[in-house]
Amino acid sequence: MAGNPKAPLVGVLALQGDVREHAALLTGLGAEVRLVRRPEELAAVDGLVIPGGESSVIDKLSRMFGMQEPIRAAIAAGMPMLGTCAGLIMLADRLVDAIDGQESFGGLDVTVRRNAFGRQVESFEADLDVPAIGAAPVKVAFIRGPVVEAVGPGAEVLAALPDGRVVAVEQGNLLGLSFHPEITGESRFHERFLDRVASRS
Ligand code: GLN
């Protein structure tokens, strides 16, 4: 869709993780997608997806590439962002079971526990009700995903598992998911993200 002046221009943080899956899904939805590794690349887009992967690595690389402060500033300025799995960890204000010295960008008033689903069930798929994005259940994949253990007054719960564990949250223009819609082909969260981008730019 490059060249379409109406296409939302969004970035995928491309330091580590499942960057391609997000880029393909967003392109399929009509967005113009750039891979973002440097501050000037971030400055050129109107929204950012933070992919799944390994949050401690994304954290380290983001500091090495001088991206931590620019991303924090973009969050503070209201840039729409979607974080999946490790991306949710990066958007959380507080972390449990992080590695020593691990930092997040913050922005979501939540406490997130890494690798919350443990070894017993490392990966699984589930059908999830997410009323905010429509009546049809969401098919989701959890891959050593985090769980939202505490939700502060600033953040809103979008979805929880039947046992009550919170797996999707939103705060202003930030959307954080424990699972990987980009892997199961679920596009409604990305559409919601692109709507935010379109209404802001
Ligand atoms: N366990 C990973 C982490 O701590 C997240 C897993 C994922 O993004 N699939 O960053």
Side-chain angles (χ1 to χ4, degrees):
M1 271 283 181
N4 175 352
K6 287 207 187 116
L9 175 57
V10 296
V12 179
L13 186 63
L15 299 172
Q16 189 265 338
D18 68 334
V19 174
R20 281 173 185 219
E21 288 81 355
H22 281 286
L25 183 47
L26 291 163
T27 304
L29 292 172
E32 187 175 338
V33 181
R34 305 262 173 88
L35 302 189
V36 168
R37 294 189 186 87
R38 300 181 184 283
E40 56 271 25
E41 293 163 346
L42 178 67
V45 295
D46 298 319
L48 185 70
V49 170
I50 306 178
E54 173 48 51
S55 57
S56 59
V57 175
I58 295 175
D59 167 43
K60 267 192 203 127
L61 292 174
S62 71
R63 286 189 267 160
M64 251 161 70
F65 280 62
M67 288 298 282
Q68 187 190 59
E69 283 316 317
I71 289 175
R72 285 179 174 168
I75 290 168
M79 180 187 278
M81 295 197 192
L82 166 64
T84 66
C85 211
L88 163 64
I89 297 170
M90 294 308 300
L91 288 175
D93 281 348
R94 296 167 295 278
L95 304 182
V96 177
D97 276 356
I99 69 163
D100 261 5
Q102 181 173 351
E103 296 176 14
S104 64
F105 302 131
L108 288 171
D109 182 13
V110 296
T111 304
V112 164
R113 177 181 294 275
R114 287 177 67 229
N115 302 327
F117 296 105
R119 289 200 182 144
Q120 189 190 350
V121 195
E122 289 204 348
S123 306
F124 64 99
E125 292 198 5
D127 285 328
L128 200 65
D129 278 327
V130 191
I133 65 157
V138 174
K139 198 176 203 38
V140 290
F142 291 85
I143 304 168
R144 288 188 64 73
V147 88
V148 179
E149 280 204 341
V151 181
E156 193 187 327
V157 174
L158 289 191
L161 293 171
D163 64 11
R165 286 183 292 179
V166 173
V167 292
V169 290
E170 189 169 54
Q171 180 168 354
N173 279 334
L174 303 180
L175 180 53
L177 311 173
S178 295
F179 45 87
H180 290 273
E182 73 283 6
I183 285 173
T184 49
E186 167 59 61
S187 63
R188 286 172 288 172
F189 295 100
H190 291 73
E191 285 168 27
R192 190 175 177 88
F193 161 70
L194 291 176
D195 284 347
R196 296 287 161 89
V197 172
S199 61
R200 239 187 126 248
S201 45

